[in-house]
Amino acid sequence: KAGVTQTPRYLIKTRGQQVTLSCSPISGHRSVSWYQQTPGQGLQFLFEYFSETQRNKGNFPGRFSGRQFSNSRSEMNVSTLELGDSALYLCASSPSPGQGFLFGPGTRLTVT
Amino acid sequence: DQQVKQNSPSLSVQEGRISILNCDYTNSMFDYFLWYKKYPAEGPTFLISISSIKDKNEDGRFTVFLNKSAKHLSLHIVPSQPGDSAVYFCAASSGRGSTLGRLYFGRGTQLTVWP
């Protein structure tokens, strides 16, 4: 099976802009969760989707949003970018919630 | 609140010896635990997991031990190889309740295996 894919792999944006990141889970996996990794905060949970429904959300401002499509692919959006949003954004794929989290390679976002 | 803790930020081990990485958790609802290996700017690579109904799980050179009463788990790597040098993350999840589908991570332990 192909692994979890994330696009783009690298992104440079300017403060105030918005960005959309994409995640394609492993075929057959229906749960997708998103994480932010920064040197200061480590790996922090953003949100989790299952069957197109957001079931869980971490402690991030409303500028961070996401969605899941009927084919289980997921996107996350960050609006009004701030310098502190610079991070590695990781997507994890699970066959069902709570089991077998497999990660994609991540998207490195740099905000200047 | 850090519900999963890895108190050793680094560990240095000679090639061929055992590496033991430790992890503590505070939430008694956690029932599934995972270890990941990670290189900078890459996604975590899954190594091994354990369910709370077990106290040990082995996969090749990797063994995870779970002590539920102490809320402690450890990853043993035997024998350690230079290619094992990376940051290791402990993670936990719960199969029920509001935290379903979410992973809680420790801060990681940098393992260095020297020849």
Side-chain angles (χ1 to χ4, degrees):
Chain A
K1 283 185 179 178
V4 180
T5 57
Q6 291 188 245
T7 57
R9 291 293 313 279
Y10 304 93
L11 206 49
I12 299 175
K13 289 285 188 178
T14 304
R15 269 182 304 175
Q17 288 186 313
Q18 75 164 18
V19 67
T20 299
L21 312 181
S22 180
C23 171
S24 292
I26 291 170
S27 177
H29 284 197
R30 297 171 61 197
S31 175
V32 173
S33 52
W34 289 87
Y35 298 82
Q36 180 198 64
Q37 186 186 25
T38 58
Q41 297 298 319
L43 282 150
Q44 301 286 310
F45 170 77
L46 282 156
F47 24 65
E48 186 258 351
Y49 288 89
F50 178 70
S51 294
E52 302 178 64
T53 301
Q54 184 184 92
R55 292 156 12 91
N56 211 334
K57 191 175 194 301
N59 294 326
F60 280 82
R63 301 185 296 107
F64 291 80
S65 63
R67 58 179 176 168
Q68 186 180 34
F69 301 95
S70 58
N71 62 358
S72 295
R73 189 176 72 86
S74 177
E75 289 181 346
M76 66 163 283
N77 184 278
V78 188
S79 62
T80 321
L81 284 165
E82 301 177 359
L83 294 178
D85 297 333
S86 294
L88 181 67
Y89 289 88
L90 294 159
C91 162
S93 162
S94 305
S96 58
Q99 295 291 325
F101 298 81
L102 298 174
F103 282 85
T107 295
R108 168 66 67 182
L109 172 64
T110 302
V111 182
T112 63
Chain B
D1 64 346
Q2 193 74 16
Q3 299 189 44
V4 177
K5 298 177 184 178
Q6 294 176 258
N7 292 319
S8 298
S10 64
L11 175 67
S12 182
V13 171
Q14 187 175 25
E15 181 179 6
R17 304 253 181 180
I18 184 172
S19 295
I20 300 176
L21 297 101
N22 293 302
C23 178
D24 297 294
Y25 61 96
T26 57
N27 191 334
S28 57
M29 288 193 59
F30 290 150
D31 55 12
Y32 184 58
F33 304 89
L34 309 91
W35 284 94
Y36 292 90
K37 174 181 177 181
K38 190 178 184 302
Y39 297 109
E42 294 184 10
T45 299
F46 171 75
L47 287 173
I48 192 168
S49 63
I50 188 167
S51 163
S52 60
I53 62 172
K54 294 186 173 182
D55 54 19
K56 177 182 174 182
N57 190 26
E58 285 183 82
D59 186 358
R61 296 186 298 116
F62 302 95
T63 303
V64 57
F65 295 92
L66 175 62
N67 182 334
K68 290 184 288 295
S69 61
K71 293 191 177 66
H72 176 84
L73 63 155
S74 60
L75 175 68
H76 293 211
I77 306 174
V78 183
S80 300
Q81 300 172 353
D84 295 331
S85 297
V87 177
Y88 288 75
F89 286 94
C90 168
S93 75
S94 171
R96 56 191 185 277
S98 62
T99 58
L100 178 66
R102 168 180 180 167
L103 276 177
Y104 292 80
F105 282 92
R107 288 300 189 104
T109 297
Q110 171 70 57
L111 173 66
T112 302
V113 181
W114 47 279

